[in-house]
Amino acid sequence: MIKVAMMVGSLRKESLTLKLGEFLKNRYSDKLDVEIVNIDVPLYNGDIDNDADRPASVTTLFNQVKDADAVFMVTPEYNNSTSGVLKNAIDWVSRSPYLNNKPGLIAAQSMGMTGGARGYLALHEILNRIPMMLLPGNDILLPASHTKFAEDGSINDEGTVKFIDGVIENFITYYNKVK
Ligand code: FNR
């Protein structure tokens, strides 16, 4: 079982990004032990970036990332980019060594037909700065996401589910090679 810390880039209760994250958590629960971590942390401020002043929520986030075998990030697309919420959490965690050499996977969604591709690419660009080990060549992009989720949280599009199954298989193969 691979222990995954999942960062979801939207804080709203009915978030489609959260729905995508929960889909990944639930569908692959026999292979991945996914914990959706709280990234509702204060804005990064260098004045509180020290052991005495660091917010407790940030210390918790550090520990959750540290204890995970892998990190997944799921992003919405805001103004052609990732969300400020996710970028802020990444800025905090990048001040620790815990993302370094961590196998990772990113996914995006949007209600439009691009599937959040620009949010995905912006997130990819940010993570290029951090020595994570992102699974290359496997993009989970969910277009028209508001039409895709059934009441029980499953995705009602067989082709998409098959594709995501393949990406997760590829991630597990990749994880076992790089770990
Ligand atoms: C958006 N949305 C959006 N969608 C898109 O495809 N491209 C974009 O550039 C943007 N920009 C954008 C900016 C801001 C500030 C908001 C609030 C929204 C729509 C957005 O992707 C959609 O509302 C998602 O459902 C938001 O994700 P959650 O909260 O459902 O996870």
Side-chain angles (χ1 to χ4, degrees):
M1 191 75 94
I2 302 171
K3 193 169 156 56
V4 177
M6 177 184 280
M7 298 167 75
V8 172
S10 170
L11 302 179
R12 88 189 170 94
K13 285 194 200 76
E14 293 301 315
S15 162
L16 292 160
T17 313
L18 178 60
K19 284 190 171 46
L20 178 55
E22 284 174 338
F23 169 82
L24 297 171
K25 174 181 162 83
N26 295 331
R27 183 164 174 87
Y28 308 105
S29 59
D30 56 330
K31 304 173 182 115
L32 306 175
D33 175 13
V34 174
E35 178 180 19
I36 298 177
V37 298
N38 175 37
I39 62 166
D40 189 359
V41 296
L43 286 176
Y44 179 79
N45 176 343
D47 291 344
I48 55 170
D49 183 9
N50 60 67
D51 288 345
D53 300 315
R54 190 174 298 115
S57 56
V58 172
T59 302
T60 300
L61 181 59
F62 277 15
N63 288 331
Q64 287 169 316
V65 171
K66 179 182 164 198
D67 292 345
D69 301 316
V71 171
F72 286 7
M73 297 191 191
V74 192
T75 184
E77 180 169 297
Y78 284 176
N79 296 314
N80 293 355
S81 189
T82 190
S83 65
V85 167
L86 184 54
K87 175 66 163 61
N88 180 57
I90 293 168
D91 288 344
W92 270 116
V93 182
S94 74
R95 303 290 295 160
S96 79
Y98 305 133
L99 284 173
N100 298 356
N101 303 316
K102 198 73 89 175
L105 178 69
I106 61 182
Q109 65 74 28
S110 87
M111 293 198 261
M113 291 317 291
T114 61
R118 289 167 298 197
Y120 181 100
L121 287 172
L123 178 56
H124 205 274
E125 187 67 22
I126 291 162
L127 296 178
N128 271 343
R129 176 66 180 76
I130 296 168
M132 282 183 76
M133 295 189 291
L134 285 183
L135 173 67
N138 285 259
D139 304 333
I140 298 182
L141 300 172
L142 187 67
S145 54
H146 57 303
T147 68
K148 295 284 163 71
F149 293 100
E151 275 290 304
D152 64 359
S154 59
I155 290 180
N156 58 20
D157 173 344
E158 207 181 311
T160 298
V161 173
K162 259 196 183 153
F163 178 82
I164 298 176
D165 286 350
V167 171
I168 297 298
E169 278 312 312
N170 291 342
F171 178 78
I172 291 168
T173 304
Y174 173 77
Y175 175 86
N176 287 325
K177 279 193 179 144
V178 298
K179 238 1 212 187

